[in-house]
Amino acid sequence: MTWLGSRLGFYLFVTLVAITLNFFIPRLMPGDPAQAIIQAMTQRNGAAPSPATVRSIELLFGNPDKPLISQYLGYLGELAHGDLGLSISQYPVPVADLVKAALPWTLVLVGSTTVIAFVIGVGLGIVVGWRPGRRLDTVVTPLSTVLSVVPYFWVALLAVWVFAVKLGWAPVSGGYPPDAVPGFNLPFLLGALHYGLLPVATIVFSWFGGWVFGQRNMMVTTLSEDYVLLARAKGLPGWKVMLRYAARNAMLPSVTQFALAIGGLVGGSLLTEIVFSYPGMGFLLFDAVSKRDYPTMQAVFLLITLTVLLANFLADSLYALLDPRTREVR
């Protein structure tokens, strides 16, 4: 409990630091959110907004009359109530509404691909690493090494060109059919599944090689441990030695990496969502950056940071649970 309390206190402190940086960094950057929306209104309407409108926008997005520390305390209060501000590019839509609309798409896309890539990669890595140097190892290991270093954007663009443009097997972009009504209805769910198959396949294809390579190397290292040699000397069945003795201990780093990979769920696969115009958090962030939508950028960055911190805390706790020796070192 002492170890858990110390780690929890550390992550709470880091969370406060992350929230503080998320507030101050955008305000130290050149440019002003209020001026950005005033310029956009001027370009759209062909004339500058009235002084009253300008003043209202400045109060909403800049609040220049308040000291910075007062703005910071107000920002903390807004966060405590779940208020992420108003979007500049889609004013006056609340940023929270944009996040709620984009988050489920990213959780389904990146969550499913992370689990699938982990299961395939770790499972194949265990089998290959159990008998290193055999034919399967000589084929799978070099292939997984190549896949882990191939640029993902190249794989995604090639997949779009082949399967969407040339063969017409998958949609070129989007997350669901334009004529479908979003909701828990069969046409929408089937359409979303159809639109998501190619992005899921490209991510799994690019990710599982890294899991194979890492798990294979850990298996090879674990096979020389005394407890594995003793299990073999006892005459236990090969599958039991592989799963209960070798794989169980060799999976510890992979489990930690999996927990850390979960931290990337909120940020999404930015390149995937850009290439496929998939309506997730990554595409929302890309759109906010391109339109200088500071409140949306700030909210997405904060959400990504908090998710990564939570994933790190869970990874620390899980590793300590699986390997009690780590609690003694810390």
Side-chain angles (χ1 to χ4, degrees):
M1 292 302 293
T2 303
W3 176 88
L4 181 61
S6 64
R7 300 306 295 173
L8 183 60
F10 169 77
Y11 279 105
L12 288 176
F13 171 74
V14 175
T15 299
L16 180 60
V17 172
I19 292 174
T20 303
L21 291 176
N22 193 62
F23 171 81
F24 283 102
I25 289 179
R27 285 158 178 79
L28 297 177
M29 295 173 59
D32 183 0
Q35 291 302 317
I37 194 171
I38 291 171
Q39 291 175 6
M41 292 178 64
T42 302
Q43 294 175 358
R44 184 170 59 248
N45 300 329
S50 65
T53 303
V54 171
R55 182 59 180 169
S56 300
I57 294 173
E58 288 177 347
L59 291 175
L60 277 173
F61 295 101
N63 211 351
D65 296 334
K66 281 189 176 181
L68 197 59
I69 186 64
S70 298
Q71 296 181 41
Y72 173 66
L73 295 176
Y75 173 69
L76 294 180
E78 292 171 355
L79 283 182
H81 291 87
D83 184 2
L84 300 176
L86 301 176
S87 169
I88 291 178
S89 61
Q90 302 186 45
Y91 180 83
V93 178
V95 173
D97 291 348
L98 299 179
V99 171
K100 290 177 183 177
L103 187 57
W105 293 97
T106 291
L107 292 179
V108 172
L109 174 67
V110 186
S112 61
T113 52
T114 301
V115 173
I116 294 172
F118 174 80
V119 172
I120 295 176
V122 171
L124 191 56
I126 290 173
V127 174
V128 170
W130 175 243
R131 298 186 182 276
R134 300 294 180 90
R135 180 175 299 178
L136 184 63
D137 183 29
T138 59
V139 174
V140 173
T141 301
L143 181 61
S144 64
T145 305
V146 172
L147 291 179
S148 63
V149 298
V150 173
Y152 171 75
F153 69 88
W154 183 82
V155 175
L157 290 174
L158 183 63
V160 170
W161 182 72
V162 173
F163 297 105
V165 177
K166 291 297 183 181
L167 299 178
W169 293 354
V172 176
S173 63
Y176 57 93
D179 57 346
V181 179
F184 286 99
N185 55 81
L186 188 59
F188 172 76
L189 295 177
L190 291 177
L193 179 63
H194 179 56
Y195 273 70
L197 283 178
L198 190 58
V200 167
T202 56
I203 296 177
V204 171
F205 181 79
S206 298
W207 284 5
F208 89 95
W211 293 110
V212 173
F213 186 73
Q215 185 62 37
R216 182 262 181 197
N217 290 342
M218 285 304 303
M219 280 291 293
V220 172
T221 302
T222 306
L223 292 179
S224 61
E225 296 290 342
D226 293 339
Y227 53 84
V228 176
L229 298 176
L230 179 60
R232 282 176 162 175
K234 288 181 177 180
L236 295 176
W239 66 269
K240 184 176 291 187
V241 178
M242 179 180 69
L243 296 178
R244 293 190 178 181
Y245 291 86
R248 180 178 179 181
N249 291 278
M251 281 183 62
L252 287 175
S254 295
V255 170
T256 304
Q257 293 173 13
F258 176 76
L260 296 178
I262 295 297
L265 286 178
V266 174
S269 183
L270 180 61
L271 289 176
T272 304
E273 297 181 2
I274 292 175
V275 170
F276 293 95
S277 296
Y278 198 80
M281 294 291 290
F283 190 76
L284 176 63
L285 177 59
F286 171 75
D287 185 66
V289 171
S290 63
K291 296 178 180 177
R292 295 190 298 174
D293 190 344
Y294 298 105
T296 302
M297 282 190 284
Q298 188 172 341
V300 175
F301 284 139
L302 178 62
L303 200 56
I304 293 173
T305 303
L306 295 180
T307 306
V308 171
L309 288 175
L310 178 61
N312 274 270
F313 174 71
L314 294 177
D316 270 357
S317 304
L318 183 61
Y319 202 98
L321 181 64
L322 295 175
D323 188 0
R325 294 173 297 179
T326 58
R327 296 198 294 265
E328 300 175 2
V329 176
R330 300 181 186 190

